[in-house]
Amino acid sequence: MTGVPLPLVVVPGMLCDASLWSDVTFPEGHPVRHVELRRPGIGALAEDVLAAVEGPFVLVGLSLGAIVGFEALRRAPERIAGMCVMATNAAAPSPEQYASWRELDALVADGRFADVVERTLPGMFPDGRPTPEGAGRYRRMAAAVGPDAARAQLAAQATRQDAFATLRTARCPAVVLSGTRDALCPPAFHHAINESLPDARMRELPDAGHLLPWQRPDAVSAALRDVAGRAAVPTP
């Protein structure tokens, strides 16, 4: 571990912004930099992550944000001193996913961004059943992200690649978090990620869905303290 606390670069999921993390307590003393997802390619977004700070950092990502983090790891493994990834998938997209993203993009292009928010809303919550408060919070966050960024994120999704080969080469400590009731990215996805990372700890969070920082903020906060405490400046 270094004497100076390493920064955390925090990347949200699709239709999410920095408010996703508002209930999370970040490790004391560590600078936090939030990255927005506003470019239409995983590679470009990974470059935004790498440009957020100088030198080594701890990558924190949810869903699409973690996928972007995997690409940052591939491009600059010496920069990634630790990783906390959650509610995500390291596999290449399926034909069904490509078709779904095209359909959602067409809706946004047709001025029906609100319909896209409503279609994606159930998958954010355990068993697809949001509380009225949770649904309202998600709608407000998605509205703040807006249709232009949504289209860029959908385009970026289509540039995803299988990340397992990259994960197997990682030399940093990692924590992998999974909600047991996440219909979009179930625990099996996270077991595969955990088994690929050489130095990872996986935690399944009971009764949680996709938006873990809202649904299990204490567990996310603990995971960040864990990985930040184990992170060290990578050696060449």
Side-chain angles (χ1 to χ4, degrees):
M1 187 173 172
T2 59
V4 178
L6 292 169
L8 275 63
V9 176
V10 184
V11 197
M14 191 170 164
L15 295 184
C16 300
D17 60 16
S19 69
L20 175 68
W21 312 93
S22 57
D23 297 342
V24 171
T25 301
F26 290 99
E28 186 176 356
H30 292 261
V32 177
R33 301 288 183 268
H34 292 278
V35 175
E36 295 182 340
L37 301 176
R38 292 187 172 272
R39 294 217 277 171
I42 295 297
L45 293 171
E47 291 301 321
D48 289 345
V49 166
L50 294 170
V53 296
E54 295 183 357
F57 61 90
V58 176
L59 185 285
V60 181
L62 178 141
S63 198
L64 178 58
I67 293 165
V68 172
F70 299 154
E71 177 61 17
L73 176 68
R74 188 187 72 82
R75 293 178 178 224
E78 74 284 356
R79 298 278 311 282
I80 313 297
M83 299 179 68
C84 181
V85 297
M86 62 196 84
T88 193
N89 183 4
S94 67
E96 292 77 15
Q97 286 177 305
Y98 285 121
S100 175
W101 297 329
R102 287 193 297 269
E103 182 180 358
L104 294 175
D105 182 69
L107 287 173
V108 181
D110 195 38
R112 298 171 61 187
F113 176 63
D115 290 347
V116 170
V117 174
E118 294 306 309
R119 286 198 186 194
T120 57
L121 190 154
M124 301 295 110
F125 296 90
D127 300 333
R129 298 174 183 174
T131 63
E133 294 79 9
R137 191 178 185 185
Y138 177 71
R139 291 186 182 108
R140 289 190 295 273
M141 181 172 65
V145 172
D148 290 342
R151 294 197 72 187
Q153 291 166 4
L154 288 164
Q157 291 274 25
T159 69
R160 287 166 41 184
Q161 300 180 24
D162 187 297
F164 285 110
T166 294
L167 297 182
R168 287 191 287 271
T169 67
R171 293 178 289 170
C172 62
V175 176
V176 181
L177 299 179
S178 172
T180 60
R181 292 161 63 189
D182 184 346
L184 284 181
C185 296
F189 290 7
H190 300 86
H191 284 290
I193 292 169
N194 183 66
E195 291 164 5
S196 298
L197 288 164
D199 183 13
R201 299 172 179 173
M202 179 173 167
R203 295 172 187 159
E204 291 190 24
L205 306 183
D207 299 322
H210 196 67
L211 298 182
L212 296 179
W214 287 359
Q215 295 157 14
R216 290 294 181 272
D218 290 347
V220 173
S221 300
L224 298 185
R225 290 193 300 271
D226 178 2
V227 73
R230 290 192 288 139
V233 176
T235 56

